[in-house]
Amino acid sequence: MKSTMLAVLALVALVSTAPAPLIARAPPNIPTTSAAQTQLTGLRVAAQGSQTGYSRDLFPHWSTISGACNTRETVLQRDGTGVVTDSACTSTSGRWFSPYDGATWSAASDVDIDHVVPLSNAWKSGAASWSTSRRQTFANDLTNPQLIAVTDNVNQAKSDQGPESWKPPVTSYYCTYAKMWIKVKSVYSLTVTSAEKSALTSMLNSC
């Protein structure tokens, strides 16, 4: 009886200290496949513009959202599981699932916040003519599926490439990625190249 009780207590202790189940979260307002197809049809096809004059500084990013929390920390909390922050809103612990490559991380330093449509791509597809205020809104957009927590080196490998030249390593994520990309380009009336549109069409066909 005593050994049984000890075993039960050990099991209870193990369960109570087990980490919370990791939740695969998604950015807000990802359209349905049908809506994404309609939005893609509505995007203007044009050759990519010039990179001349581009600087990340022209897209003020990681704005303060609430208290000490900036955009990066806000997305880390939104996309993570069991995230703990300090008084400066820095994520000190938690777990993050990166849907691009299927990896899981327990240190925020291993996670980047990806701009789904890269700032440079936006510049070359319409944002060069925007006001600084509009570019700031784009770079810190928490309303549309423009920001997502992913593995840092995967994000760095993506750089400023469009879906015609870079896709998430996890092929089952093509559908979601394409829908996010299309939604953002549609909201901000950004153009797409013919190669980009072809890649997005193919990715939507995987939905």
Side-chain angles (χ1 to χ4, degrees):
M1 174 67 78
K2 184 177 180 180
S3 61
T4 301
M5 183 62 71
L6 288 173
V8 170
L9 290 173
L11 180 60
V12 170
L14 179 63
V15 170
S16 64
T17 57
L22 189 63
I23 301 171
R25 305 184 189 278
N29 292 323
I30 298 174
T32 63
T33 301
S34 176
Q37 289 169 333
T38 299
Q39 290 166 0
L40 180 58
T41 299
L43 294 178
R44 185 169 70 88
V45 176
Q48 197 168 69
S50 172
Q51 181 84 348
T52 302
Y54 168 75
S55 168
R56 284 180 65 85
D57 293 340
L58 295 173
F59 292 78
H61 50 286
W62 305 164
S63 302
T64 298
I65 302 301
S66 177
C69 300
N70 64 19
T71 311
R72 171 181 163 80
E73 296 300 342
T74 300
V75 176
L76 285 173
Q77 292 175 48
R78 182 196 72 189
D79 290 0
T81 297
V83 178
V84 176
T85 60
D86 61 18
S87 60
C89 201
T90 300
S91 298
T92 57
S93 64
R95 290 190 299 154
W96 291 269
F97 174 77
S98 169
Y100 285 5
D101 58 335
T104 299
W105 303 100
S106 57
S109 59
D110 289 319
V111 179
D112 276 357
I113 306 304
D114 180 38
H115 288 95
V116 173
V117 175
L119 305 182
S120 172
N121 183 287
W123 176 267
K124 293 178 287 189
S125 56
S129 64
W130 292 353
S131 66
T132 299
S133 175
R134 183 158 177 78
R135 287 194 287 261
Q136 182 172 11
T137 297
F138 177 82
N140 297 276
D141 190 348
L142 295 169
T143 301
N144 295 293
Q146 164 65 343
L147 298 171
I148 185 170
V150 297
T151 300
D152 55 1
N153 60 1
V154 173
N155 181 48
Q156 291 152 22
K158 171 186 171 179
S159 186
D160 65 350
Q161 298 177 86
E164 71 280 9
S165 53
W166 186 92
K167 297 176 181 63
V170 175
T171 57
S172 61
Y173 200 68
Y174 283 8
C175 170
T176 300
Y177 186 79
K179 291 191 290 186
M180 294 193 299
W181 183 283
I182 292 164
K183 172 71 173 182
V184 173
K185 286 238 163 170
S186 178
V187 166
Y188 288 93
S189 300
L190 295 169
T191 61
V192 292
T193 66
S194 57
E196 181 183 347
K197 183 172 184 178
S198 177
L200 290 166
T201 299
S202 177
M203 293 167 80
L204 284 181
N205 288 338
S206 71
C207 294

